[in-house]
Amino acid sequence: MRTTIAALLLLLAIPAFAQDRVDIAARRIIDAEVGTTRAYDTLEYLTDNIGPRLSGSPNAERAVRWATEQFRRWGIPVTNEKVMVPHWVRGAERGSLVSHNQQRVILTALGGSVATPAAGLTAEVVEVTSYDQLEQLGTKGVQGKIVFYNRPMNMELVRSGRAFDAYSDAVQFRGGGASRAAQYGAVASVVRSVASASLRTPHTGAMRYDPKFKKIPAAAIATEDADLIHRLVAKGERVRMHLLLTPRTLPDVASANVIAEIRGSERPDEIVLVGGHLDSWDLGTGAIDNGSGVVMVMETMRLLHELGIKPRRTIRAVLFMNEENGLRGARAYFANRAETELHKHVAAIETDAGAAKPTGFITTLHGVQLTRFEARASVLNAIAKMSYSSSQQTGADTSPLTDAGVPGFGLIPEPLHYFDYHHSAADTLDKIDPRELSQSTAAVAALTYILADSDFDPRQTAN
């Protein structure tokens, strides 16, 4: 009861005229964006004309130059922040079941993987669904073999709106599976693609090596081929796979975060950050991950600038480089401001979850502050019915800021089909619905403005 009374008192503390003024401007932003194709048109150029944008690649640098110039054409001040990024290059990738008439296995190298020998390698496949099973097999059951991690995404979670929980459960084997297998003498590892749907399209993603163990090649296989191998192993058949991967890790490359600002009219030293990552994986054109997030951020700035809306706090847009395979851009942004500007950040908003219809936001706020935030952001219900929930993880690129105490916010578009295409060659523009993209863009733009112009301060610690 005390919490409820306190929440009501805090809500009453928001001046009605201030609420109305902010809501009117937020509604202008929403009305100016919803139903337009401005965000889609920008995304179309990024994906179709520039294409895949893996860190260190020429296309990633083209994207930096394009985004910088686009902000300049709109009349928005913009700078580049130098970042050294990894340069991993995908090569040839082939797999076949030599034990079963050379049937082709559709696979793709995981980002950061080392290569196989030039002629490839051939070994027996051993299937596990958990690290406990791997440990039970031990060196005797694993040495000299290819470890196959077969952990499907939990589709009940996906269908119930918890796709990111299902992803978190399955993705652990992509990230650390190779080194865990190498610990017991495996010669390679393959992981079932972390995907909620597949038309025999493998889904890549970053992996990492534990320096204590030998680096072995690592790949993701299409879910259909994962099911094939599972059926053969379940029948007691000996499965032998030939695997050829020829990726290379080249020296780090100079790249940049793209940073644009609309300076606050009354509190310019208070910063509301809105960001997404400019890089993508190399298989598709990164329309969902994260071209859509990039254009939401860019369109937020264009809208505010062209509508002549001048918030009291500074809005800083950051297009981070290297989220997919290193977070170098996020770490550089934080390191360059940890001693000088960290305390000035009022909020950090991230959009990196696709472009479907918005359903709400996750936020580090909780208790009374979450209740106040819901009331303050109620105008967003003009776009769609929004829900808000507390989480300590509101985005990868903003995580250094939120870990240091900056309040975080993350857009949650409807997640049902996000992992159908995520990190695959199918992540292309045709998967984007222009109207839904405009709705999510409007939600990000309106929330950014609300946090930058209203009396609501998410840094308060009322409980």
Side-chain angles (χ1 to χ4, degrees):
M1 179 63 72
R2 287 182 180 178
T3 300
T4 302
I5 294 172
L8 289 172
L9 290 173
L10 283 167
L11 292 175
L12 291 172
I14 302 174
F17 73 88
Q19 178 96 14
D20 290 344
R21 177 186 62 78
V22 173
D23 283 357
I24 289 169
R27 189 58 190 260
R28 281 184 65 203
I29 293 168
I30 292 168
D31 290 344
E33 181 62 31
V34 171
T36 73
T37 63
R38 290 297 297 263
Y40 186 87
D41 294 342
T42 303
L43 180 59
E44 181 177 4
Y45 188 91
L46 176 61
T47 57
D48 290 359
N49 292 68
I50 296 177
R53 304 171 299 282
L54 187 60
S55 292
S57 69
N59 277 4
E61 297 321 296
R62 291 185 182 101
V64 168
R65 293 194 297 270
W66 164 79
T68 303
E69 184 55 35
Q70 191 69 52
F71 279 124
R72 286 182 181 143
R73 281 197 293 268
W74 289 337
I76 300 170
V78 60
T79 59
N80 289 163
E81 178 178 48
K82 182 179 177 181
V83 180
M84 296 301 294
V85 299
H87 189 193
W88 180 83
V89 179
R90 187 182 303 279
E93 39 194 33
R94 293 194 297 274
S96 60
L97 301 184
V98 298
S99 58
H100 289 77
N101 304 313
Q102 301 290 344
Q103 289 190 64
R104 186 183 178 195
V105 174
I106 306 301
L107 53 76
T108 189
L110 295 180
S113 174
V114 297
T116 62
L121 61 85
T122 301
E124 183 176 350
V125 175
V126 57
E127 178 184 6
V128 299
T129 60
S130 69
Y131 287 135
D132 287 341
Q133 283 188 0
L134 181 68
E135 184 178 357
Q136 290 168 10
L137 287 171
T139 302
K140 183 178 179 180
V142 171
Q143 190 163 22
K145 298 178 181 178
I146 297 172
V147 170
F148 163 44
Y149 293 100
N150 188 22
R151 181 76 156 258
M153 288 185 69
N154 184 324
M155 292 306 297
E156 289 186 9
L157 288 179
V158 173
R159 287 188 287 269
S160 66
R162 296 173 59 195
F164 283 87
D165 291 337
Y167 177 75
S168 295
D169 173 67
V171 79
Q172 59 182 305
F173 305 102
R174 189 193 75 197
S179 287
R180 296 289 287 270
Q183 180 180 356
Y184 299 105
V187 295
S189 74
V190 293
V191 60
R192 180 191 185 97
S193 284
V194 187
S196 51
S198 175
L199 290 175
R200 223 173 176 200
T201 49
H203 295 229
T204 191
M207 52 87 62
R208 60 189 179 277
Y209 288 113
D210 186 326
K212 297 192 298 291
F213 306 111
K214 180 182 177 180
K215 294 181 179 180
I216 62 174
I221 60 176
T223 61
E224 295 89 340
D225 293 288
D227 289 338
L228 167 62
I229 295 171
H230 169 72
R231 290 193 300 271
L232 295 173
V233 171
K235 288 186 289 187
E237 299 186 21
R238 185 168 179 248
V239 177
R240 286 175 57 80
M241 178 186 292
H242 179 73
L243 179 64
L244 174 70
L245 303 174
T246 65
R248 293 175 297 151
T249 298
L250 303 176
D252 287 358
V253 172
S255 187
N257 294 328
V258 179
I259 302 177
E261 276 195 357
I262 294 176
R263 190 165 174 80
S265 60
E266 296 179 18
R267 303 176 186 174
D269 287 338
E270 295 185 2
I271 300 165
V272 173
L273 183 150
V274 57
H277 67 87
L278 189 52
D279 61 304
S280 76
W281 280 107
D282 54 323
L283 298 179
T285 56
I288 291 173
D289 186 19
N290 186 36
S292 57
V294 166
V295 301
M296 289 179 207
V297 172
M298 296 178 71
E299 186 69 358
T300 291
M301 303 299 275
R302 185 199 68 80
L303 267 175
L304 291 171
H305 180 72
E306 291 191 6
L307 291 173
I309 295 174
K310 300 186 186 216
R312 291 188 290 172
R313 298 182 175 105
T314 292
I315 295 176
R316 178 177 292 168
V318 184
L319 305 182
F320 294 96
M321 181 54 66
N322 185 230
E323 187 271 348
E324 293 293 7
N325 61 335
L327 284 179
R328 299 275 187 90
R331 292 180 178 129
Y333 180 89
F334 180 81
N336 291 339
R337 291 160 183 83
E339 296 183 3
T340 59
E341 278 193 346
L342 179 62
H343 66 285
K344 298 180 181 180
H345 286 74
V346 173
I349 307 165
E350 185 164 344
T351 171
D352 182 18
K357 182 178 179 179
T359 65
F361 288 84
I362 52 173
T363 174
T364 57
L365 303 183
H366 55 87
V368 171
Q369 274 296 78
L370 178 59
T371 302
R372 291 195 69 196
F373 168 63
E374 289 183 24
R376 179 64 278 185
S378 61
V379 68
L380 271 62
N381 288 322
I383 306 168
K385 177 62 178 175
M386 298 287 178
S387 64
Y388 305 94
S389 59
S390 295
S391 173
Q392 289 305 112
Q393 305 297 324
T394 56
D397 280 312
T398 53
S399 61
L401 294 169
T402 56
D403 287 348
V406 176
F409 301 83
L411 175 70
I412 301 297
E414 210 298 314
L416 180 61
H417 294 293
Y418 180 71
F419 291 107
D420 294 0
Y421 315 115
H422 176 257
H423 290 187
S424 79
D427 184 0
T428 48
L429 184 67
D430 53 290
K431 311 308 186 303
I432 304 293
D433 180 295
R435 179 169 179 79
E436 291 183 349
L437 175 61
S438 74
Q439 292 173 320
S440 278
T441 302
V444 170
L447 176 65
T448 302
Y449 162 72
I450 288 167
L451 292 174
D453 200 54
S454 71
D455 291 327
F456 175 72
D457 189 337
R459 296 171 297 179
Q460 293 177 358
T461 57
N463 288 303

